[in-house]
Amino acid sequence: MERVQLSARQLFMLAILFEHGSAIVIPLGVDAKQDVWLAILCGMALGSLLFLVYYRLFTYYPTVPFTSYSQQIVGTFFGKGIALVYVLYFLYIAARVLRDFGELLLTFAYPETPLFVLNAVMMLTIMYAAYKGIEVLARAGELFFAFLYLIAVLGFVLVIVVGVIDIHRLQPVLEEGWKRVFKVVFTQTLYVPFGEMIVFTMLFPYVNERKKVKIAGWLAIWLSGINLALTMAMNIAVIGADAVSRSTFPLLNTIQEIRIANFLERLDVLFMIALVIGGFFKISVFFYAGVIGAADLFQIKEHQRLIYPLGLAVLLLSIAIANNFAEHIKEGLNIVTIYMHIPLQVVIPVLLLIIAAIRNRHM
Amino acid sequence: MTIKRWCLFLVVLLIHITILSGCWSKNELTDLAFVIAVGLDKTEDGKYVETFQVVNPGNVAGATQRGGGSGGIPVTLYTATGDNLVEASRKGSKKISRLVYYAHTNLVVIGEELAKEGIMDVFDAIERNPQFRTTATVVVARKQTAEELLSVLTPIDKIPASQIIKTLQMTEKIWGENLDVHAGEIIEALSLTGKEVVMSSFRLEGNKNTGKQQKNVQSIEPYAKLHADELAVFKKGKLIGWISGEDARGVLWVLNKIRQTALSVDWEQKKEAVVYKVMRAKTKVIAQMNKGTPVISVFIEAEGDVGETLVPFDLTNPTQIAKLEEKIEKEIQKEVQKAIQRVQQEKSDIFGFGEVIHRSYPDEWKQMKKTWNERYFPRLQVKVKVDAFVRRTGLRNKSYLK
């Protein structure tokens, strides 16, 4: 384990950037049509319960990451198995988000650049960040947090000022009832992005203010949940539920509607910045968690030594993962949710918590 | 540092030079053809004809410096034919020496024949292309092809596409019989069952052949002129009718698009004697259910001044003003009711009343949705309530007429 320290504030900012990550630019939970903001808020509420599970596990074992205490809870053999699965899961999700990022940039801004080049450039940056360690990443996070918020506020104000928002587009609320909303909550918004906070179980031991971990995590989940819900509601109020559900990037379409006095227009660059910053932090956190998890599991003292092989693996995996964008998205929504998110974000942590609670009561 | 590290450092720097410059697919300004307007038509054998109005950058800049007119022509027109828009656009490269670049396309013109056949499939390419903006204005070329409408030189705004867009925006703002509709709004209307497409048309008047030449802008009265024409009413993506004059303005009232306009009311036996200038207006549309049948209420609020009186009229008297306000309210109400009836005859819900019902009564809407345009909309009961306020009377109160 690295000997570094994060403050609760850094954890909060890192979690915010992580949660916004790609979620703010992709059509998150749009199957709920105009009720998507409700689906996000419900996902947020349930996500903060899930976070409580991760936090309780941390309070039992405050000095070691998830991959270590899984071994303490269910024994070395099964614990190592679980740890390995999680390491692979983090690296796989890092590859998925990297692919997302590359595809998004490719569709919109760099149609003639090969995917591999974009992904490789991004991955090199991320590998460098991971090499420097979590403390550097967290400090960069503090900088970019302010920057991203400035852009977000600017974007919001501009969209409101331009007057392209039509609140009526959000009606009828609950057209198909709560069923459609909860279907989206339990198949999408709970896991991405809120359940993905599981990756922070690898980072909690670095935080020097242990008492503040819970509140920092919760605040991050709530703030990002509200922001995401607001953003999706804004997208719908500007371009309509139908266009949002057909769009590859609803936020981009919304930003393109900004036209002020024939000179302040084409603000797509705001969208690009949000995409790159969010993508960078999301992939970095996953990748870093995967790397230190592997280092922890295989007892390697310097995690830096794993960065090149694992980075290369993530990069190649991100290319090999799917033949086209549709396949990639479909896999993400169906297979990954059922076979990875649900067991790894919900089932295993809850089981581990139950066992840990029983064990620690007897101890 | 050792020599080995220095070498490594240099290699990294060199890699950065290639990566950071970001010139993977660079396009120099001189390699791009800026398409300012796109015209769409169909040939007899069902192929698309795409017309590009391409800016001639040198001549635009030169024209403003020299005071206009003396240089070359500010835009050039190209056409290309293909089975679909992407094919036509790419085939255009046979005639244009530069890359056809759509990021500055602000206008899409649809030929009347194509509009009648249906515009359902032309917007997909526009929506899908990352260069193209859905904020581009869309108009129908009235009684001609899009190509003909785009092949005319205009005197005041050198670029014909700008002339069309600016005219449309200005007339929508101060007169209110035409609509500046964006591609995004059209796509939304095409995707909703409770709303149909409506957009403005433009017409070319005069000598088409002279209109193409520099001569057109060297005459005090151009040989060929562009002007905004009637509103085109679509149903399921097909052009089915035209709405003009006061009916068109009535449509804009309902759509909450009126910002300023002028209307006249009768006063003491004299027809159209007092002119009211609307300076601000706001419309709200609300749906209600009355024993299972939908009722739409349109609330209009207008604020404005007196612009002209053709009869002796004491505007210092508030009771007279109140009387005038009442007359104005009736006039607007009449205009709007007439427009609604006119549109109901076309059986196409361009007002989006269906969407208003959908939003307030989603369950009831499910039953009405399928036969909305045929059964419900033509017989829909629409209540119009107008509140008009006369705020000021200009620089005079009483008229010099006695």
Side-chain angles (χ1 to χ4, degrees):
Chain A
M1 242 179 96
E2 272 190 289
R3 293 179 138 231
V4 288
Q5 290 200 322
L6 296 181
S7 69
R9 196 185 57 170
Q10 285 176 324
L11 178 77
F12 165 77
M13 287 175 179
L14 207 54
I16 288 263
L17 287 167
F18 172 84
E19 295 279 279
H20 280 82
S22 47
I24 200 140
V25 293
I26 58 167
L28 175 72
V30 289
D31 292 342
K33 297 269 165 173
Q34 65 270 37
D35 299 328
V36 53
W37 57 279
L38 269 172
I40 292 173
L41 289 180
C42 291
M44 176 191 86
L46 293 170
S48 32
L49 287 181
L50 217 49
F51 181 76
L52 205 58
V53 174
Y54 310 151
Y55 175 73
R56 283 300 292 166
L57 278 169
F58 163 66
T59 55
Y60 284 128
Y61 306 96
T63 51
V64 287
F66 186 87
T67 44
S68 288
Y69 62 66
S70 68
Q71 297 171 38
Q72 294 182 29
I73 294 174
V74 292
T76 317
F77 181 73
F78 288 110
K80 281 205 162 148
I82 288 177
L84 183 66
V85 168
Y86 272 89
V87 167
L88 293 176
Y89 172 65
F90 294 148
L91 292 175
Y92 176 73
I93 298 295
R96 286 199 66 81
V97 182
L98 183 61
R99 175 67 178 253
D100 272 338
F101 166 86
E103 290 280 357
L104 298 193
L105 280 185
L106 215 64
T107 327
F108 162 62
Y110 304 92
E112 290 172 24
T113 312
L115 180 65
F116 183 79
V117 174
L118 281 180
N119 281 7
V121 172
M122 185 66 163
M123 200 59 215
L124 277 177
T125 325
I126 288 162
M127 278 156 67
Y128 182 64
Y131 185 86
K132 286 287 169 188
I134 189 70
E135 208 171 339
V136 172
L137 192 66
R139 281 198 216 130
E142 282 180 283
L143 265 176
F144 282 113
F145 177 82
F147 190 52
L148 198 65
Y149 249 80
L150 199 73
I151 294 173
V153 170
L154 183 73
F156 254 108
V157 170
L158 285 177
V159 170
I160 292 167
V161 167
V162 176
V164 283
I165 288 185
D166 178 7
I167 288 295
H168 297 297
R169 290 205 173 95
L170 289 167
Q171 287 175 323
V173 178
L174 294 176
E175 188 179 13
E176 315 265 307
W178 282 101
K179 212 178 132 197
R180 187 171 71 178
V181 174
F182 278 113
K183 201 178 156 220
V184 171
V185 170
F186 286 112
T187 53
Q188 297 176 33
T189 53
L190 171 58
Y191 315 111
V192 180
F194 302 109
E196 289 178 327
M197 285 296 277
I198 180 80
V199 71
F200 278 82
T201 54
M202 299 299 293
L203 304 182
F204 288 154
Y206 296 127
V207 180
N208 55 13
E209 303 157 286
R210 278 186 198 140
K211 290 212 172 101
K212 288 189 184 161
V213 165
K214 181 162 93 174
I215 196 72
W218 267 1
L219 280 179
I221 288 179
W222 295 337
L223 189 59
S224 50
I226 290 166
N227 279 346
L228 290 173
L230 262 178
T231 309
M232 280 315 271
M234 179 181 83
N235 291 339
I236 289 168
V238 173
I239 60 173
D242 179 74
V244 166
S245 64
R246 287 184 296 113
S247 174
T248 352
F249 325 100
L251 186 62
L252 177 67
N253 297 95
T254 304
I255 288 173
Q256 286 182 339
E257 292 286 326
I258 299 176
R259 300 214 303 184
I260 295 176
N262 282 329
F263 79 95
L264 198 56
E265 48 185 291
R266 323 250 144 130
L267 298 170
D268 312 4
V269 64
L270 294 184
F271 169 84
M272 295 278 290
I273 292 171
L275 172 64
V276 174
I277 294 178
F280 171 75
F281 280 97
K282 193 157 188 176
I283 307 165
S284 290
V285 170
F286 270 120
F287 179 63
Y288 183 76
V291 168
I292 57 166
D296 182 52
L297 182 61
F298 301 113
Q299 311 270 316
I300 294 164
K301 284 223 172 72
E302 290 174 346
H303 79 276
Q304 277 89 345
R305 295 172 64 182
L306 286 174
I307 282 174
Y308 292 103
L310 291 182
L312 198 64
V314 167
L315 175 59
L316 294 178
L317 187 60
S318 78
I319 306 293
I321 219 163
N323 283 322
N324 52 46
F325 193 41
E327 190 185 318
H328 174 66
I329 293 292
K330 190 86 184 156
E331 273 174 13
L333 286 180
N334 299 347
I335 299 165
V336 174
T337 304
I338 296 169
Y339 296 104
M340 292 188 196
H341 290 334
I342 294 180
L344 296 179
Q345 290 179 3
V346 187
V347 180
I348 294 182
V350 169
L351 285 177
L352 284 181
L353 179 65
I354 293 169
I355 300 170
I358 295 169
R359 284 200 153 194
N360 285 292
R361 197 182 51 193
H362 288 298
M363 264 195 284
Chain B
M1 259 192 270
T2 59
I3 292 188
K4 209 175 154 192
R5 289 204 75 163
W6 264 108
C7 289
L8 196 73
F9 183 66
L10 273 176
V11 168
V12 169
L13 271 187
L14 281 174
I15 291 172
H16 275 88
I17 289 173
T18 50
I19 293 173
L20 291 179
S21 60
C23 43
W24 188 282
S25 41
K26 69 171 174 67
N27 285 307
E28 295 295 334
L29 220 51
T30 48
D31 293 333
L32 297 176
F34 291 97
V35 177
I36 191 86
V38 167
L40 303 172
D41 293 300
K42 234 172 184 180
T43 59
E44 274 168 16
D45 51 351
K47 288 196 173 187
Y48 284 106
V49 182
E50 199 174 342
T51 309
F52 316 93
Q53 205 175 72
V54 177
V55 180
N56 213 335
N59 291 339
V60 174
T64 39
Q65 271 162 17
R66 285 195 293 269
S70 54
I73 290 173
V75 290
T76 309
L77 211 67
Y78 294 99
T79 58
T81 313
D83 291 325
N84 46 54
L85 296 184
V86 175
E87 187 186 313
S89 162
R90 298 242 161 191
K91 269 192 183 170
S93 64
K94 285 185 168 188
K95 298 174 189 168
I96 309 172
S97 57
R98 301 178 175 192
L99 178 71
V100 177
Y101 190 62
Y102 289 106
H104 294 270
T105 310
N106 290 327
L107 179 70
V108 178
V109 181
I110 294 168
E112 188 173 336
E113 285 309 311
L114 173 61
K116 278 180 182 157
E117 232 174 89
I119 55 167
M120 215 62 188
D121 30 0
V122 301
F123 284 95
D124 186 72
I126 290 174
E127 191 184 27
R128 213 174 274 280
N129 187 337
Q131 271 177 17
F132 219 105
R133 304 283 155 155
T134 50
T135 45
T137 300
V138 186
V139 296
V140 174
R142 179 85 166 108
K143 293 207 166 143
Q144 54 222 159
T145 62
E147 186 189 346
E148 285 169 323
L149 189 82
L150 285 174
S151 50
V152 58
L153 289 172
T154 50
I156 297 195
D157 282 301
K158 297 275 175 254
I159 296 173
S162 306
Q163 165 99 5
I164 292 176
I165 296 164
K166 280 178 156 176
T167 310
L168 203 57
Q169 284 170 347
M170 195 46 79
T171 185
E172 178 185 318
K173 187 179 165 201
I174 70 169
W175 180 241
E177 282 182 9
N178 289 88
L179 263 174
D180 174 20
V181 183
H182 294 167
E185 295 170 68
I186 291 176
I187 294 164
E188 189 186 13
L190 286 173
S191 72
L192 293 170
T193 38
K195 190 167 169 50
E196 297 293 336
V197 176
V198 59
M199 62 175 107
S200 281
S201 61
F202 249 79
R203 191 197 286 226
L204 174 69
E205 260 183 338
N207 188 330
K208 282 173 196 165
N209 287 327
T210 327
K212 290 178 184 172
Q213 295 163 22
Q214 186 84 341
K215 227 162 89 184
N216 197 41
V217 289
Q218 282 166 340
S219 155
I220 185 162
E221 199 194 357
Y223 298 97
K225 281 179 281 192
L226 292 168
H227 75 94
D229 211 2
E230 300 160 298
L231 286 185
V233 177
F234 286 73
K235 186 175 178 179
K236 299 223 158 44
K238 285 189 176 133
L239 176 67
I240 54 159
W242 301 94
I243 290 179
S244 57
E246 285 188 354
D247 286 345
R249 193 166 63 183
V251 170
L252 266 83
W253 277 112
V254 180
L255 291 173
N256 190 21
K257 291 280 184 176
I258 293 279
R259 276 172 284 175
Q260 295 182 17
T261 184
L263 51 95
S264 43
V265 294
D266 306 344
W267 195 261
E268 291 167 350
Q269 281 92 45
K270 190 158 169 127
K271 289 256 173 217
E272 316 282 320
V274 181
V275 181
Y276 174 61
K277 287 196 294 185
V278 177
M279 301 305 285
R280 246 187 301 280
K282 202 175 155 85
T283 307
K284 258 191 192 160
V285 180
I286 291 164
Q288 277 160 324
M289 276 294 175
N290 186 9
K291 291 176 198 149
T293 49
V295 179
I296 293 283
S297 307
V298 179
F299 299 99
I300 297 172
E301 242 182 59
E303 250 184 276
D305 310 342
V306 172
E308 192 179 350
T309 64
L310 306 176
V311 284
F313 185 2
D314 184 7
L315 286 162
T316 52
N317 185 350
T319 47
Q320 290 283 78
I321 300 258
K323 216 174 130 191
L324 176 65
E325 282 175 348
E326 210 174 291
K327 277 191 174 236
I328 293 163
E329 284 164 11
K330 283 213 177 102
E331 182 70 27
I332 297 176
Q333 194 187 18
K334 208 175 79 194
E335 188 174 304
V336 172
Q337 285 284 16
K338 227 181 114 234
I340 293 172
Q341 280 162 16
R342 172 77 185 74
V343 176
Q344 281 178 325
Q345 283 169 16
E346 301 282 353
K347 294 188 178 175
S348 176
D349 184 7
I350 55 174
F351 303 116
F353 287 155
E355 248 347 89
V356 177
I357 295 170
H358 176 201
R359 281 161 187 171
S360 310
Y361 299 93
D363 295 329
E364 286 86 343
W365 171 248
K366 270 178 204 150
Q367 273 118 51
M368 289 185 262
K369 172 163 127 176
K370 273 196 183 143
T371 48
W372 173 252
N373 274 325
E374 308 306 323
R375 242 181 89 193
Y376 293 93
F377 176 69
R379 274 176 264 161
L380 185 68
Q381 190 191 342
V382 185
K383 291 177 187 164
V384 181
K385 198 177 172 304
V386 185
D387 277 324
F389 303 97
V390 176
R391 297 293 189 203
R392 275 159 285 272
T393 60
L395 292 177
R396 293 288 179 272
N397 40 44
K398 291 175 193 164
S399 165
Y400 60 83
L401 297 166
K402 290 263 163 59

